[in-house]
Amino acid sequence: GVTLAARAVLPADTFVPDTPAVGVALEPVINGRELPFGDVPVQGFSSLVPRDDNQFVVLQDNGFGTLANSPDYPLGWFHLHIDFAADQPVVEVLDYVNWTDPDGMIPFALTYPDSAPRPLTGADFDPESFVRMNDGSFWVGEEFGPSLVHVDPNGVILEKPIPIPVIPPLRLYSRGSPVLRTPDHPDLRFLRSQEMRLDLANLPRSGGVEGLARNSSGNLLYAAVEKPLSDDPVRTRRTILEFDPVRHGFTDNFWLYDADREDVSLASLEALDDHVFLVLERDGGEGATAQIKRVYRVDLNDFDDRGFLRKRLVCDLMAVDDPDGITSPEDGAIGLGHAFTFPFVTPECLAIIDDRTLLVANDNNYPFSAGRRVGVPDDNEFVRVVLGRGLE
C-alpha cells in the first residue's frame, strides 16, 4: 500500500502583498469569498520544481481558469519553502516572479501591449507545467495554444512560443491543422464567433500540455497532452511527444497512452530516468465524487499489443494509509484520518523525491474548488507519500 509520510498546508486565503486587484470578471461571491480580491492569491499550483534546502519553484496557472475571466491576472511563479520535518509543517512564500515580454517575442496581441515591460496575464497564456534547465531558464507547457514557452529565471520570455505538432496517427482527426489548436489558440481567439473557434480547433478548451518532464540526462523534454483530439474516435487515447531543447523543436518520436476513462485528464508527467516516467491521471470529480486520482509508471520502451504504453499503478491518491496520525478526522472534512484521500479536482504537481517517495500538491483553483470541505475553498496541500514498492 501507499503510506502518508508528511503533509503541509498553505491556507487558501493567502495573498501576495502589494499586488494588483484581480477577479473583476468573476461573480461577486464564490464559496463565501467576496471578489474582486485586493491582491493576487497564492493559488493555481500547476507544476513544481524542487530546489535545495526544501525550497520549490511552483508554477501558477492562468489565474481563474479561462481566457475570458483572467485578463487582470498577472502570470508568474512562486518560490516556496516547506519544512516537512517540523512538528507542524509550514509552507512559506518567499518570492513571486512575474512574466514579461519586454523584447516583443510573443507574435500575437497581448492583453496589455503598451505597458512596459509588457506584462503577461491569464488572457495571454495558461501555464500548466514546467521544467528547469541547467542555465536556470524554464520551458513551460501551456494550454491555450497549446505551446511550449521558454522563460528566463526572472520571467522574461526568451523566444517565440513553439506550437505542438499533430502526430502522424492523429492527422486524420486534426481538422486540417498540422499543429494542435484549442479554441483559445492565438490564431482563433479573435474570431467573432464562438462556433467558428470551436469548428477550427482540434482540441477542447483546457486540453493542451498539462505535463512536461525533463529526462535524467537533461537533453530531452517530454510533453503530455491532457485530452484527446476532439474528433479522435478512441476517446481514451492520449499522446506524449519528445522535444529537443537544443534544436528548439519536436523530434519524430511520440508515444500513445491509454487513460483509464474517456473523461480522464493527464495532469502531470515526471521522469525517473531517460525512459521511465510517472503519469498522473485525474477525473473531474472532487470531494465525494472524486474517483480517479492515480499515478502510473510507464517505460517508453514497453508497449502493449495495441501500441499503447504499458502502465503500472504506483499510487492511488484516493487510498492512502495514515497509520501515524499525520491527519485526524474532522467534522465536514473528506479524506482526513487513517484512510487518507486527496479528493481534489486537480492534483497537478508531482515530484519524485526518491525511488519510494513522491511529493504531490493540488491546484486549489481558489476560490472555486471545494474538495476537502463542501462550500469552503480548498487549501494548497503538499503531501509526501511512501510507495509500497520501488519505481525501478
Side-chain angles (χ1 to χ4, degrees):
V2 177
T3 305
L4 185 66
R7 174 174 174 259
V9 176
L10 180 68
D13 303 315
T14 303
F15 295 84
V16 183
D18 304 318
T19 48
V22 293
V24 173
L26 299 182
E27 297 293 319
V29 180
I30 299 171
N31 277 328
R33 301 305 186 265
E34 295 184 4
L35 288 96
F37 300 125
D39 291 299
V40 172
V42 181
Q43 65 94 34
F45 295 169
S46 55
S47 187
L48 63 80
V49 174
R51 302 294 306 275
D52 297 333
D53 303 323
N54 293 317
Q55 292 191 19
F56 300 86
V57 189
V58 184
L59 183 67
Q60 167 202 288
D61 61 19
N62 85 310
F64 296 121
T66 71
L67 186 152
N69 70 15
S70 301
D72 57 354
Y73 210 110
L75 295 186
W77 57 69
F78 303 96
H79 290 121
L80 305 181
H81 177 264
I82 307 175
D83 183 3
F84 284 108
D87 290 340
Q88 291 291 328
V90 172
V91 183
E92 183 185 2
V93 182
L94 303 177
D95 191 20
Y96 177 52
V97 173
N98 285 127
W99 286 31
T100 58
D101 181 31
D103 303 319
M105 294 293 176
I106 307 298
F108 53 83
L110 299 180
T111 310
Y112 297 114
D114 301 324
S115 356
R118 288 168 54 89
L120 298 181
T121 79
D124 299 322
F125 289 110
D126 183 8
E128 292 289 349
S129 49
F130 72 159
V131 295
R132 187 174 181 273
M133 305 305 291
N134 291 347
D135 63 0
S137 69
F138 295 90
W139 280 99
V140 181
E142 73 86 30
E143 290 212 298
F144 284 165
S147 65
L148 294 188
V149 186
H150 198 192
V151 189
D152 85 358
N154 300 310
V156 175
I157 303 292
L158 290 170
E159 57 190 281
K160 182 179 175 180
I162 295 173
I164 315 298
V166 177
I167 63 171
L170 298 182
R171 286 176 186 160
L172 186 62
Y173 314 117
S174 72
R175 299 185 178 176
S177 172
V179 298
L180 297 176
R181 297 199 300 188
T182 78
D184 296 321
H185 188 283
D187 291 351
L188 308 180
R189 65 178 66 163
F190 301 109
L191 296 174
R192 286 194 307 278
S193 156
Q194 166 86 344
E195 195 175 335
M196 287 173 64
R197 291 195 290 273
L198 292 171
D199 285 346
L200 290 169
N202 52 32
L203 269 183
R205 265 201 176 87
S206 191
V209 179
E210 189 85 17
L212 190 66
R214 182 187 181 201
N215 66 358
S216 56
S217 294
N219 63 324
L220 292 168
L221 308 185
Y222 295 84
V225 182
E226 178 182 359
K227 292 177 182 173
L229 286 180
S230 303
D231 294 341
D232 189 345
V234 183
R235 300 309 296 161
T236 58
R237 177 160 52 189
R238 309 289 183 268
T239 54
I240 297 173
L241 298 90
E242 184 180 73
F243 179 77
D244 183 341
V246 175
R247 286 179 48 243
H248 298 249
F250 283 86
T251 74
D252 293 331
N253 295 325
F254 62 85
W255 293 263
L256 301 178
Y257 182 96
D258 193 22
D260 280 356
R261 281 195 330 223
E262 292 184 17
D263 65 329
V264 161
S265 295
L266 302 193
S268 192
L269 185 70
E270 190 69 19
L272 179 68
D273 53 34
D274 283 354
H275 58 96
V276 175
F277 289 76
L278 298 185
V279 181
L280 175 55
E281 295 192 24
R282 66 162 185 88
D283 62 10
E286 70 175 6
T289 64
Q291 293 179 333
I292 296 175
K293 317 291 176 181
R294 299 170 185 162
V295 181
Y296 286 96
R297 176 196 185 275
V298 296
D299 185 322
L300 299 186
N301 300 318
D302 186 18
F303 306 92
D304 66 17
D305 54 9
R306 300 170 306 147
F308 286 89
L309 287 168
R310 203 183 305 274
K311 64 186 193 181
R312 167 169 73 83
L313 180 68
V314 298
C315 178
D316 183 349
L317 292 166
M318 296 303 295
V320 179
D321 293 327
D322 182 10
D324 297 329
I326 290 168
T327 67
S328 51
E330 292 177 19
D331 283 346
I334 294 170
L336 298 179
H338 183 79
F340 179 81
T341 66
F342 210 62
F344 303 109
V345 63
T346 44
E348 291 191 3
C349 300
L350 175 66
I352 299 170
I353 304 302
D354 58 42
D355 182 48
R356 293 285 294 272
T357 312
L358 304 180
L359 174 64
V360 183
N362 63 313
D363 170 358
N364 70 341
N365 301 300
Y366 182 85
F368 295 101
S369 292
R372 187 66 82 191
R373 298 169 184 84
V374 174
V376 179
D378 282 327
D379 298 323
N380 297 293
E381 297 192 21
F382 296 80
V383 296
R384 289 178 75 152
V385 295
V386 176
L387 307 176
R389 60 181 278 198
L391 294 170
E392 296 290 353

